[in-house]
Amino acid sequence: MPANLQGSAGLSNGSAGTAATDSPQPVPDVGLLTLRQLEVLSRVCQGKTNKQIATELGLSEKTVKAHVTAIFKVLGVVNRTQAVLVARRVGMMNT
């Protein structure tokens, strides 16, 4: 068997690369979010845009964007989809 294929024989059992997905992900401390940030996150989970959220909450879009950025930082995510997934994982929204 060629040397470059010898190491790959053990990969066929399906167990390679699963350690990261098998271990539980740390749960962010959503208690660090303010009430307003929770209101914004709830609307993000509903799929609303910053403009829609701003209108509903009587805020400027710039303020909503600042809240969304702060939410991302607390949750340890980089986009809205990840924020929704974290919110679902910690039970902040229904499936």
Side-chain angles (χ1 to χ4, degrees), residues 1-69:
M1 179 178 288
N4 63 346
L5 294 179
Q6 288 176 354
S8 65
L11 297 179
S12 62
N13 67 7
S15 63
T18 59
T21 57
D22 290 344
S23 59
Q25 297 175 350
V27 177
D29 187 0
V30 294
L32 297 175
L33 296 174
T34 66
L35 180 58
R36 182 62 90 186
Q37 289 167 347
L38 290 170
E39 291 172 331
V40 170
L41 179 57
S42 173
R43 286 161 174 82
V44 168
C45 290
Q46 294 169 19
K48 297 188 177 179
T49 65
N50 287 355
K51 185 173 185 173
Q52 291 170 322
I53 295 168
T55 300
E56 286 185 16
L57 297 178
L59 303 170
S60 71
E61 284 185 67
K62 186 175 179 180
T63 299
V64 172
K65 185 174 181 176
H67 284 310
V68 170
T69 300

Side-chain angles (χ1 to χ4, degrees), residues 70-93:
I71 291 165
F72 289 177
K73 185 174 180 180
V74 169
L75 298 184
V77 301
V78 295
N79 61 46
R80 293 167 98 88
T81 301
Q82 291 176 347
V84 170
L85 292 173
V86 168
R88 179 181 292 174
R89 191 172 77 223
V90 300
M92 292 180 63
M93 62 174 277

